[in-house]
Amino acid sequence: MDPVEVTAYALHSLFAGLWAGSVLFVTLSVVPLARTGDLNARPVNAIAGRLKTVSRASSLLLFLTGSHMAAARHTGDSLTGTTGGHLVLGMVGLWLLLTGTVEVAAKRLTDGTERDKVREPARAARPLFLVASVLATALLVVAGLIGALNAGFL
């Protein structure tokens, strides 16, 4: 494996973990505290802003590194005709869904923070954060399957 491919794989894995972990943290820690009013608007707004930054940066970096890795390993036929290609296409779909879901969920979480409202926005954002958490977890599972397939375990 050449150094560029190793670097792409390492960055891809690092930012996928960072993104998924950030989404899960907000879903499991921040949203419940905001729903009960144990967090006020200022930290909720700041956390949602950071989540959007992490999500956008990760999404872009995953697109770039994933495109490089897919181009190095697949052709058009292998993307549509092999298990590995199907997993890659599934990952792209999950990536698109997660990107959009996090954007909308973070926006809902901050709706009302300028009026010091957090409980109702957190209630409204919760279902989307739950969906985002499932998508983030599914992305990591698919990544693991791709890695196992490439290593010859599947």
Side-chain angles (χ1 to χ4, degrees):
M1 212 182 245
D2 75 52
V4 172
E5 194 170 339
V6 170
T7 302
Y9 182 81
L11 286 173
H12 197 82
S13 298
L14 176 68
F15 277 85
L18 173 66
W19 192 18
S22 297
V23 169
L24 290 167
F25 175 76
V26 171
T27 302
L28 298 173
S29 298
V30 176
V31 171
L33 290 172
R35 284 178 61 211
T36 60
D38 291 329
L39 280 178
N40 63 33
R42 190 168 159 195
V44 168
N45 200 37
I47 291 167
R50 289 276 171 108
L51 176 64
K52 286 191 280 189
T53 300
V54 166
S55 181
R56 291 170 184 170
S58 295
S59 188
L60 176 62
L61 196 78
L62 291 174
F63 174 74
L64 295 173
T65 57
S67 296
H68 172 77
M69 291 186 301
R73 291 187 174 261
H74 293 283
T75 64
D77 289 338
S78 71
L79 276 175
T80 58
T82 65
T83 301
H86 293 149
L87 287 170
V88 168
L89 292 175
M91 183 176 269
V92 171
L94 290 168
W95 168 80
L96 286 168
L97 288 170
L98 181 59
T99 300
T101 303
V102 169
E103 283 292 320
V104 175
K107 174 67 175 129
R108 283 193 187 171
L109 185 60
T110 57
D111 280 348
T113 54
E114 71 281 350
R115 297 179 320 273
D116 289 331
K117 304 286 184 193
V118 293
R119 288 180 183 166
E120 189 53 40
R123 282 187 199 101
R126 183 176 181 265
L128 285 173
F129 274 111
L130 291 172
V131 169
S133 293
V134 169
L135 292 169
T137 302
L139 267 170
L140 293 179
V141 169
V142 172
L145 290 173
I146 290 171
L149 188 67
N150 289 339
F153 294 124
L154 296 177

